[in-house]
Amino acid sequence: MRPLDFILILDFGSQYTQLIARRVRELGVYSEIKPACTPLAEIRALRPTGLIFSGGPNSVYDQDAPSVDPEIFTLGIPILGLCYGQQLFAHLLGGKVQPSPHREYGLAEFTVLQDDPLFESVDKHTRVWMSHGDAVINPPHGFVTIGATNNAPHAAFVDHSRKLYGLQFHPEVTHTVAGRQILQNFLFHVCRCKASWSPQNLIETTVAELREKIGKEEVICALSGGVDSAVAAALVYRALGAQLHCVFVDHGLMRKNEGEQVRATFAKLFGESFHYVDAAQTFSQRLQGVVDPEQKRKIIGEQFIRVFEAEARRLAGIRYLVQGTLYPDVIESFSPRGGPSVTIKTHHNVGGLPADLNLKLIEPLRELFKDEVRRLGKALGLDENIIGRHPFPGPGLAVRILGQVTPERLALLREADDIFISELRASGWYDKTWQAFAVLLPIQSVGVMGDYRTYEMTIALRAVTSVDGMTAEWVHLPHELLAKISSRITNEVRGINRVVYDISNKPPSTIEWE
């Protein structure tokens, strides 16, 4: 049941829309997302405590730009417009928006010009995250400018009489230093919400929905051994018990000894509900000669489903497939709500699904981010060794080998990755990073070992910190640690003679290389 206090977010196509919802829930307030085209009558019937307009890739003056019924501003509830959302305020209410002479993408210095409840406990000068090519030139009548940057003189404005706030920057992104405080101020000082949302609420709601939806049907769960699928399985198991069958498909693309470890862990956790399938040879054959990363992902996604369909037939009577899909997977693969978001990469469990799928999908984590999933796993009682693991892509090492996936290349990458992770654990850096892994590059270079010339492969090391996977910063690992890891890899892994370290943030890079 929806709490009395909740925030409705209208999606205008931003890559960060779900991140806004995550931030709101993180602060203890329930939130829902609806497309920008949601009829006003439906919005009114939902009775939200406040509204947030997301950003988006369009210009408000484009012919087909997404918009809202201007009557929405008469609902009498607080509304916060972010980036495109702020510009839409100006466009619809008589202000002026035009292309900015200086595009802003990245960090900017923001100055609070006037005290306001929205900026309570926010420093007068602070860093914010900008991503825009247009800017408000003239705010609408009744609005007061309360903040600015060098390139956005009206970076924050407000109409106090109607409780309408507009921000040119993105408070939902972790790079905005005071972003959490600003959203907290909007929720509790402007909207007067009460914090009443928690992982336990989510468990109770999801369990009830699963029982109502599935009834007495049998369910199969795609269990990879990672955090996402483990939590999804535990959540469904809480709802359905023995109706759930967890299937672990070993596609031969896992890290060193990982298949055996996953098999032992989850056979103990789920007992007779756990099923193991060795499909390594099948996946290897399907990937033979494939270089394009999108094609790899789609092949792996389809093959996964075929294996699960076969298992469902063997178990008989299975109609539902549970997957641990998270929202970062979804928003990087396509825009799920009809917004004009851009496809970044196709995730094997989203865009890779075949059109003739014979199982109905159950994705209980589809609206969540990684840190929320970990908190949910803890509330479900899962072991810290499971919920504390670094993220691992469903396509496995196939998308950490640039170029063809061969047994020889898999062996090289497994050994190098194992050395990297073991040294991170030994040094205490594993738990200080959000994700770390090795990538095998299709680059050979000249080296020397002893008195002999070598012409061998290159390994790239990647370690990042993040909260939700939407943004990430590279980890400043100690030089001594990197030197030790590099020395071990080049000495112990025959076929590798060069190691490099990736110092790219997300954005502009993605965390995985493919």
Side-chain angles (χ1 to χ4, degrees), residues 436-449:
F437 54 91
V439 181
L440 184 66
L441 306 185
I443 298 171
Q444 290 179 279
S445 63
V446 174
V448 59
M449 291 189 178

Side-chain angles (χ1 to χ4, degrees), residues 143-395:
F143 281 77
V144 176
T145 298
I146 56 175
T149 68
N150 287 337
N151 294 322
H154 307 288
F157 60 45
V158 59
D159 179 338
H160 285 116
S161 64
R162 290 184 285 181
K163 296 183 180 180
L164 304 180
Y165 283 88
L167 300 177
Q168 181 60 73
F169 57 88
H170 291 272
E172 71 274 22
V173 176
T174 55
H175 297 318
T176 296
V177 175
R180 178 186 172 91
Q181 183 65 53
I182 292 170
L183 289 175
Q184 181 174 307
N185 291 340
F186 178 71
L187 296 178
F188 302 118
H189 296 327
V190 179
C191 296
R192 302 293 180 182
C193 291
K194 293 181 176 63
S196 59
W197 183 243
S198 68
Q200 193 58 45
N201 295 131
L202 182 59
I203 291 171
E204 294 169 1
T205 301
T206 306
V207 165
E209 289 175 351
L210 286 169
R211 288 173 177 167
E212 181 178 358
K213 179 181 180 68
I214 296 172
K216 299 297 182 181
E217 297 282 353
E218 300 285 303
V219 178
I220 194 171
C221 178
L223 189 63
S224 70
V227 179
D228 309 334
S229 62
V231 174
L235 187 55
V236 176
Y237 192 71
R238 172 75 65 92
L240 305 177
Q243 293 171 237
L244 174 68
H245 302 273
C246 293
V247 177
F248 167 55
V249 176
D250 189 344
H251 53 19
L253 302 169
M254 305 193 79
R255 291 163 289 198
K256 186 176 181 179
N257 299 325
E258 191 170 27
E260 295 85 351
Q261 293 168 358
V262 169
R263 189 175 183 181
T265 298
F266 290 99
K268 181 179 180 181
L269 189 62
F270 293 107
E272 293 183 0
S273 293
F274 178 79
H275 307 270
Y276 171 77
V277 180
D278 184 355
Q281 186 174 355
T282 302
F283 279 86
S284 178
Q285 291 172 348
R286 290 291 312 277
L287 289 169
Q288 190 170 359
V290 178
V291 173
D292 180 72
E294 280 291 284
Q295 192 177 357
K296 287 182 190 176
R297 288 174 174 273
K298 290 180 179 180
I299 287 172
I300 292 169
E302 180 179 357
Q303 192 58 43
F304 260 121
I305 295 301
R306 296 311 178 203
V307 172
F308 291 130
E309 286 181 330
E311 280 299 295
R313 289 193 295 271
R314 185 183 68 79
L315 293 167
I318 302 291
R319 293 182 55 206
Y320 292 95
L321 167 63
V322 176
Q323 289 195 143
T325 307
L326 301 194
Y327 199 77
D329 301 338
V330 175
I331 60 181
E332 285 192 340
S333 297
F334 59 86
S335 175
R337 305 178 194 282
S341 301
V342 177
T343 298
I344 307 300
K345 63 177 72 165
T346 300
H347 288 262
H348 79 287
N349 54 344
V350 182
L353 299 178
D356 60 344
L357 177 66
N358 293 321
L359 297 170
K360 295 181 179 179
L361 280 180
I362 300 292
E363 296 174 308
L365 311 180
R366 188 182 176 90
E367 300 294 320
L368 303 181
F369 287 80
K370 183 70 72 174
D371 60 318
E372 289 184 301
V373 171
R374 286 198 168 105
R375 289 201 299 273
L376 188 63
K378 187 174 182 179
L380 286 164
L382 289 179
D383 191 275
E384 183 63 34
N385 289 331
I386 296 175
I387 61 177
R389 291 184 64 189
H390 284 187
F392 187 62

Side-chain angles (χ1 to χ4, degrees), residues 9 17-26 29 31 33:
I9 299 160
T17 299
Q18 188 67 15
L19 186 53
I20 304 169
R22 203 200 69 73
R23 296 286 185 238
V24 172
R25 293 198 303 265
E26 185 181 66
V29 178
S31 61
I33 298 175

